Amino acid sequence: MRSVVIAVAITGSVPRKRDNAALPVSVAEQIESTHAAFEAGASLVHIHVRNADESSSSDPELFAQVQEGIKRHCPGIIVQFSTGGRGRDPSARGSALYLKPDMGSLSTGSINFPTIVYENSAALVKDLATQMRKWGVRAEIEIFDLSHIHGARLLVDQGLIDDYPHVQFVMGIQNAMPAKEHLLDILVGELKRVLPNATWTAAGIGRHQNSVMNWALARGAHGVRTGLEDNIRISKDRLASSNAELVEIAVTICAQHDTRPATPQEARAAFRLSN
């Protein structure tokens, strides 16, 4: 049975405790929530950190504390820092990369979000990619638009990332890429043409989370993504009780496609990371 990497995006930069009390905000909550998700089948954790008032933070000390606790309690899990996030000073978005997480998210172009422009200038993208190369951090290329695939190709051509990138398609954010199955076919087709050696996954935002997982798995994706960053609900009428509950749903969806959660060792091999 084929293994699939289940990524859990535990916190993000947008949801608040008032939206779902299960959202892990403090360092201790983030470590505990990741551990439960790891036990449920996640082999990659995507991390944002928050200030005491729940606003998005770039504080390297917070990233360091979360990383240390996760590594202690979740042996082998892939630790991925976000270099995005609304409310963060662009100049500080790579400030924690010196801590050498396994991976860092990297958006290769700008996009409209509901209330702001998520700005990723060419200079910022190059700077973040350069920092990742310097510290040995593997990039996960976040694709919000078809042109962003070509932005990733440019980084390969410039020698800033290797020819085996890991790519994540983000679908369902208002004003950005709609969560439409035929659009995933277009994205995957262009990826295979432009970056034929890439591994890929897809994230569905909000109510699209499970649909996008199903579409991705039906097309042979190397991973799926879930977590409270993307979706705080199980249904219209019920909030998710934890990140672990969302991972359990992902495991069930994987089984429906004759796949199983990757072990940490398998996940590391899939994304070309050392054990």
Side-chain angles (χ1 to χ4, degrees):
M1 184 180 291
R2 187 171 74 89
S3 65
V4 173
V5 178
I6 297 179
V8 59
I10 56 171
T11 303
S13 60
V14 175
R16 297 293 188 267
K17 288 277 193 182
R18 64 174 179 267
D19 302 313
N20 185 329
L23 184 77
V25 173
S26 70
V27 169
E29 288 173 339
Q30 289 183 307
I31 295 167
E32 181 180 0
S33 186
T34 301
H35 182 239
F38 175 73
E39 292 292 320
S43 51
L44 185 155
V45 58
H46 175 75
I47 298 169
H48 292 248
V49 294
R50 302 286 188 92
N51 297 308
D53 64 357
E54 297 190 41
S55 61
S56 191
S57 176
S58 296
D59 185 352
E61 180 57 29
L62 292 174
F63 276 105
Q65 291 174 27
V66 174
Q67 177 173 243
E68 192 278 329
I70 287 173
K71 285 187 171 183
R72 185 170 65 248
H73 294 286
C74 308
I77 196 170
I78 296 170
V79 175
Q80 181 187 99
F81 287 178
S82 172
T83 67
R86 281 163 270 197
R88 298 173 70 184
D89 179 350
S91 67
R93 280 165 43 185
S95 61
L97 291 173
Y98 76 92
L99 295 168
K100 299 183 179 180
D102 298 300
M103 301 183 77
S105 64
L106 178 62
S107 300
T108 53
S110 302
I111 197 72
N112 289 336
F113 279 172
T115 59
I116 66 165
V117 175
Y118 178 35
E119 190 170 348
N120 294 286
S121 68
L124 176 62
V125 173
K126 185 174 182 179
D127 176 66
L128 289 171
T130 300
Q131 289 189 60
M132 289 184 189
R133 182 180 63 175
K134 174 182 178 180
W135 298 114
V137 177
R138 190 155 187 79
E140 176 182 86
I141 305 298
E142 290 190 328
I143 302 294
F144 294 88
D145 182 80
L146 189 69
S147 64
H148 298 177
I149 296 172
H150 293 268
R153 179 72 247 180
L154 180 60
L155 295 179
V156 173
D157 293 342
Q158 293 173 335
L160 294 173
I161 62 175
D162 66 29
D163 197 29
Y164 295 84
H166 178 57
V167 167
Q168 175 175 258
F169 301 118
V170 184
M171 310 184 78
I173 294 178
Q174 185 181 348
N175 301 332
M177 183 68 67
K180 302 290 186 182
E181 191 169 7
H182 73 280
L183 293 179
L184 183 59
D185 285 326
I186 293 170
L187 291 166
V188 173
E190 187 69 353
L191 179 70
K192 290 181 178 180
R193 188 186 73 83
V194 176
L195 293 166
N197 297 322
T199 55
W200 69 275
T201 185
I205 305 304
R207 62 186 175 86
H208 305 293
Q209 188 168 75
N210 293 350
S211 296
V212 172
M213 276 194 279
N214 275 296
W215 301 341
L217 289 166
R219 288 157 176 78
H222 301 84
V224 294
R225 171 164 142 158
T226 189
L228 291 169
E229 171 176 350
D230 299 340
N231 177 32
I232 62 171
R233 296 184 175 277
I234 298 299
S235 67
K236 183 178 179 180
D237 301 317
R238 185 165 81 82
L239 293 171
S241 63
S242 64
N243 278 299
E245 183 179 22
L246 292 173
V247 171
E248 289 165 0
I249 292 170
V251 171
T252 298
I253 292 173
C254 285
Q256 294 167 355
H257 292 268
D258 197 31
T259 61
R260 60 172 178 80
T263 66
Q265 293 73 26
E266 289 170 333
R268 287 177 172 277
F271 295 166
R272 303 173 73 84
L273 293 163
S274 60
N275 287 314

